[in-house]
């Protein structure tokens, strides 16, 4: 049941004055429930509880953390239809998408449960002492990853489940042993509260400390700012706009004790179509890309916002077909009037630049909050000389850049800001002819895709969802998959520490049976 209150640890609380409602973009009306923004006092309590909880949660065994994460997954599923209905009413997204995203969320939680139950993720490493080494004895050194402390997670507007309250950031942080305070996204506060209730139930069932999780409502930046500035918060996870992520990164850097901010932000995801592919399957590619550009009303961070090819008949043909295909698709609703407002504004800004051709702009009347898809085209020189055209237009929008030749195409890629993905569309015969272009593309992105579409982010250990700034604030980490746990830990060494005082992961007897690097060789044996 939705109460509109905050979870301050295990307790529901609403002492603040500011209230707000979520919005149903499909019906164009406010939803029923009223949410109370967290007060300064509640924020401080949530952080104090998280700091206290960290003292015990940081040493909870992997097996018990796994029970907690699996219980969260079970409780989310137990919310059943209520969760799905609230999700749909707060996003306008269809039931199928809600269920798919719930499945992904549950899968992520269970993947982290499996990871920490097995235990080798801590990357234990042991270098035994050599007391008679000359000229100086070598000490015994043992290293493993340990949790950072309380983490603040900012939920994403476009993934109310998989990248929000119990999404990837939260699951990874809890798995690492970090208490989590979620700054709930105002557009889906009801979905957030229901999921938070599942996490609290799971925490109580599995005996996790009060404060291991809190959920704070907010409809403005104040709550987030106070959280990031709080001295007892030790790291931040964020998914959203470049402006928001950058503001939080700067805020965290200005603290007396700066902390890491792992923000996954905007991206236009360049797609390079090589000449032979364009010639042999331009029409089929146009159809595929019309679908990818409009998927989820273009509200994916991996949306293909930029398509690059070499000028000529084949590219012209592709552009025309892309326009023809995309215009046949029914426009769909965006998540919120603010998102569609930003889409209209950014689209307008892009199309009003000099020498931008509008290939198609869906002209028929659409329902309120529905987005009209747009395809534009520019010459390579125009793109190179106008940085405004490099900016993300979050929605069903894409720009085709007609380059003079491969050299200019490579120059366009080299000039791009950091991106989440880069896609290469090529015939087998030509793929190996452009090593320099591929290297340039690799240098700008976190993931390369061959003959596919960038939309669709598989959750698995080999996925990298991140990239050079501003795709993310730290390209060394992924925000998706089990390796994202590494954002919430730091390496820690014990020197000459007595065996019985060491954590189980580093004890001589290897009681957890995990894989460890012992004197340079991986082993699951004891010492
Ligand atoms: P957002 O504006 O970046 O906000 C995300 C969260 O961060 C919200 O909870 C917001 O709080 C908070 N926030 C933003 N700026 C802040 C600041 N200066 N200080 C403290 N907190 C701050 O993203 P959004 O609301 O999800 O969507 C807005 C736009 O972001 C979209 O139109 C789109 O352009 C972009 N976006 C991009 C992606 C992507 O993956 N590339 C994903 C989602 C959104 P409040 O809402 O409470 O103010």
């Amino acid at each position: 049941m939705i109460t509109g209150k905050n979870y301050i640890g295990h307790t529901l609380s609403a002492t603040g004055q500011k209230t707000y409602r979520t919005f149903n973009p499909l019906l164009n009306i406010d939803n029923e429930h009223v949410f109370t923004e967290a007060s300064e006092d509640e924020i401080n309590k949530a952080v104090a509880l998280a700091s206290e909880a960290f003292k015990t949660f940081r040493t909870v065994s992997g097996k018990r953390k796994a029970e907690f994460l699996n219980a969260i997954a079970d409780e989310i599923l137990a919310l059943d239809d209520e969760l799905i209905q609230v999700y749909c009413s707060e996003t306008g997204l269809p039931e199928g998408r809600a269920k798919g995203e719930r499945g992904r969320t549950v899968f992520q939680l269970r993947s982290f449960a499996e990871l920490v139950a097995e235990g080798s993720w801590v990357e234990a490493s042991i270098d035994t002492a050599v007391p008679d080494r000359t000229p100086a004895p070598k000490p015994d050194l043992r290293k493993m990853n340990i949790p950072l402390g309380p983490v603040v997670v900012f939920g994403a507007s476009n993934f109310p489940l998989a990248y929000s309250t119990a999404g990837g950031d939260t699951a990874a942080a809890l798995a690492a042993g970090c208490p989590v305070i979620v700054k709930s996204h105002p557009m889906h506060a009801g979905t957030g509260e229901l999921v938070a209730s599942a996490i609290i139930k799971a925490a109580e069932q599995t005996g996790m400390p009060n404060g291991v999780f809190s959920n704070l409502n907010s409809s403005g930046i104040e709550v987030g700012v106070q959280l990031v500035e709080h001295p007892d918060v030790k790291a931040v996870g964020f998914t959203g706009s470049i402006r928001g992520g950058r503001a939080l990164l700067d805020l965290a850097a200005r603290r007396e004790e700066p902390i890491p901010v792992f923000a996954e932000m905007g991206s236009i995801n360049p797609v390079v179509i090589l000449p032979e592919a364009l010639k042999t399957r331009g029409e089929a590619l146009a159809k595929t890309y019309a679908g990818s550009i409009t998927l989820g009303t273009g509200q994916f961070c991996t949306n293909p916002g930029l398509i690059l090819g070499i000028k000529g008949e084949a590219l012209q043909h592709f552009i025309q077909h892309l326009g023809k295909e995309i215009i046949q698709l029914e426009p769909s609703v965006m998540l919120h009037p603010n998102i569609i407002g930003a889409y209209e504004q950014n689209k307008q800004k892009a199309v009003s630049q000099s020498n931008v051709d509008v290939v198609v702009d869906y002209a028929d009347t659409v329902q309120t909050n529905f987005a009209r898809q747009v395809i534009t085209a520019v010459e390579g020189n125009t793109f190179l000389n106008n940085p405004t055209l490099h900016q993300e237009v979050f929605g069903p929008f894409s720009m085709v850049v007609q380059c003079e030749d491969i050299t200019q195409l490579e120059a366009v890629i080299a000039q791009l800001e950091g991106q989440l993905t880069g896609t290469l569309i090529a015939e087998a015969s030509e793929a190996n002819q452009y090593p320099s272009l591929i290297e340039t593309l690799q240098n700008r992105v976190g993931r390369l895709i061959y003959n596919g579409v960038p939309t669709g982010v598989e959750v698995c250990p080999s996925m990298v969802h991140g990239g050079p700034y501003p795709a993310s604030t730290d390209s060394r980490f992924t925000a998706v998959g089990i390796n994202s746990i590494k954002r919430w830990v730091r390496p820690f060494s014990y020197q000459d520490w007595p065996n019985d005082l060491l954590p189980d992961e580093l004890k001589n007897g290897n009681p957890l049976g995990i894989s460890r690097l012992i004197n340079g060789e991986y082993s699951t044996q004891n010492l």
Side-chain angles (χ1 to χ4, degrees), residues 446-510:
R447 172 165 60 112
L448 280 177
I449 297 141
Y450 184 66
N451 279 339
V453 290
T455 38
V457 181
E458 188 66 35
V459 180
C460 66
S462 307
M463 171 55 69
V464 171
H465 191 63
Y469 183 87
S472 69
T473 46
D474 195 333
S475 62
R476 293 169 299 171
F477 298 91
T478 174
V480 171
I482 49 174
N483 288 317
S484 65
I485 197 171
K486 291 183 183 162
R487 296 171 300 165
W488 314 122
V489 294
R490 64 188 173 97
F492 181 87
S493 283
Y494 292 91
Q495 185 166 328
D496 290 331
W497 214 246
N499 187 55
D500 56 339
L501 295 185
L502 284 168
D504 284 351
E505 288 85 347
L506 298 175
K507 284 193 168 111
N508 290 341
N510 194 14

Side-chain angles (χ1 to χ4, degrees), residues 270-274 306-309 409 413 422-426 437 441:
V271 177
V272 177
I273 312 184
L274 291 179
L306 189 69
I307 301 174
L308 311 173
L409 201 157
I413 297 169
T423 302
L424 185 78
I425 307 285
L437 183 141
L441 190 57

